Every structure is written in structure tokens, then in C-alpha cells.
Amino acid sequence: MTAHEGATVLVVEDEPSIVDVLAIALRYHRFEVMTAGTVRQALTLAERTRPDAALLDVMLPDGDGRALGHELRAKQPDLALVFLTARDAPTEIVGALAFGDDYITKPFNIDEVIARITAVLRRTRPADVLPERPPLRYGDLELDETTYSVHRAGRSVELTPTEYALLRFLVRNGGRIVPKEQLLRHVWQYEHSAESTVVETYISYLRRKLDALGAPVITTRRGVGYGLA
């Protein structure tokens, strides 16, 4: 069984033709699929079935997909969130990435959608049985590899699954500068997205959360990548 096989994806999109294409492709790749066209329908479905991932259109007839994502994540913290956004709406992308795990711009390639959801679930969906593993430590950072929790100087840091995956990869590389392309490949499973700004965006989110508890810990080597001080 693959990492995602049997995972349930909630698709929230009000355009029937898009819903049909997404549902058919996801089911072909052995996902369980639920569909909703409104915020109200999505909340009802999520309450009843607790999906593993949600694919949310940002613009919905009865509300904002980002607000829906906030509500779903509040009720189910381990839910993976992927947003569908208009290509010409950078504010939508920034707003979605503030707490979501990934975004896909319209018009989209269906193979890319499947790859993105699979990659997010690989990062966020725990194995059925997790062995006890010692925590990862770097300076005053401690990452619990069993509970996926993070502490800095003994204080808890609330991270999204993607933020955790990024910090874990930096910690595992110690003080080494990790090229942006390597982060895209290992954290996001992107192979040819050197122009993507997703790394910079998530680095800024990590800095905001970590720097609130101590001295700056993430360093930038301009034009190369990122590491830990």
C-alpha cells in the first residue's frame, strides 16, 4: 500500500465540471473522495467523516475557502489543506499559505494535483504504527519525532505539518546551508520548481514563530539556500 492509498480527500469546489474531473482522477489513484459545493456542505461532511486532506477552492458561493480551512483545521489539527486559487490572485496565495500546506493555481494540470496531494499526505499522514524515536535537537530546538511537536527553550511552538517538515529537514542538516532546490525536492517533492516562492514563504513563517522565542535561528545564504545558525 502506498503512503496515500485509502486516504480520504474532501474536494470543495462549486464548479461541477471541475469537481467531476478531480473526483474521477483522485478515485483512479485510489483515494476516497467526498465532494461539496459550499462551505456548509463541507463542514457537515468533515464533521461526519474526518477526511485526511481537503482540497479547497478559495472562492465559494457562501464563503471564503480560507476561512473554511481555518475552521476545518481548528476542529481537526492534523488535516492536510491544499487550496485552489486563481493564477492572477497573489493575495489569495499568500493568504492560503499562511496556514495551509500547499496551493494549486487554476487552470491546473490534473497530474500536478494528484502529485501535490500525494506529497502533502506523505508529509502529514502518520504511519499506522510509529516506533519510538529519540528527539531531534539543535541548539535550544527540540523536535519530537513521535508526536511531531516542537519546543524552543522548553516552550511549545505550534507549527503546521509543512512547517514541521521544513524545520526537521533543516535540523537534520545541522549548520549546513541547504540549497533551495534540495528543500523543494525533499520537503515538497517538487522536482522542477526552482522558480517557486514556496520556500521563501514558509521560511518567513518559521522565522516569525521561532524568533518570537529567542535569537534568530534560520540563516540565509543569498542565491544559495537556508540553514540554522
Side-chain angles (χ1 to χ4, degrees):
M1 179 178 287
T2 63
H4 73 262
E5 192 170 327
T8 298
V9 179
L10 171 62
V11 177
V12 188
E13 164 64 59
D14 64 323
E15 179 56 53
S17 61
I18 295 178
V19 173
D20 288 344
V21 168
L22 290 170
I24 290 170
L26 287 164
R27 289 182 178 123
Y28 177 80
H29 287 275
R30 299 186 180 181
F31 290 97
E32 299 292 331
V33 181
M34 303 182 300
T35 63
T38 66
V39 170
R40 179 175 294 183
Q41 291 172 354
L43 290 171
T44 299
L45 279 174
E47 187 74 28
R48 189 168 69 238
T49 61
R50 292 185 63 83
D52 298 290
L55 182 59
L56 309 177
D57 189 10
V58 169
M59 301 297 291
L60 294 167
D62 61 339
D64 187 314
R66 291 164 295 187
L68 171 61
H70 266 299
E71 190 165 352
L72 292 174
R73 179 64 69 73
K75 294 178 178 178
Q76 188 180 337
D78 61 346
L79 177 68
L81 294 176
V82 179
F83 290 94
L84 291 170
T85 75
R87 187 177 298 277
D88 58 352
T91 56
E92 288 184 6
I93 294 172
V94 171
L97 277 181
F99 63 95
D101 297 298
D102 207 344
Y103 70 91
I104 299 166
T105 54
K106 297 179 181 180
F108 54 77
N109 178 294
I110 192 63
D111 291 332
E112 179 187 11
V113 174
I114 300 300
R116 295 286 189 92
I117 292 176
T118 301
V120 166
L121 283 170
R122 193 180 296 126
R123 301 195 301 270
T124 62
R125 195 180 189 210
D128 290 336
V129 178
L130 286 173
E132 288 290 334
R133 287 173 287 184
L136 291 174
R137 292 188 174 89
Y138 186 91
D140 60 0
L141 289 172
E142 181 176 296
L143 283 67
D144 190 314
E145 288 279 80
T146 301
T147 64
Y148 294 94
S149 60
V150 177
H151 289 81
R152 183 171 192 197
R155 298 171 65 185
S156 178
V157 185
E158 294 297 325
L159 300 182
T160 67
T162 300
E163 289 168 348
Y164 178 89
L166 175 57
L167 180 60
R168 177 175 58 186
F169 195 70
L170 291 174
V171 168
R172 284 178 171 171
N173 280 274
R176 188 171 70 87
I177 295 295
V178 182
K180 174 183 172 180
E181 293 77 10
Q182 192 174 349
L183 290 170
L184 283 167
R185 187 166 60 251
H186 286 272
V187 179
W188 282 270
Q189 281 78 49
Y190 294 177
E191 291 295 338
H192 305 289
S193 302
E195 298 306 312
S196 172
T197 60
V198 69
V199 175
E200 289 85 349
T201 301
Y202 273 90
I203 287 288
S204 71
Y205 296 150
L206 270 182
R207 280 182 168 140
R208 186 166 62 228
K209 293 180 178 182
L210 296 174
D211 292 358
L213 301 176
V217 67
I218 298 176
T219 62
T220 301
R221 181 73 59 82
R222 191 171 299 278
V224 179
Y226 302 91
L228 297 178

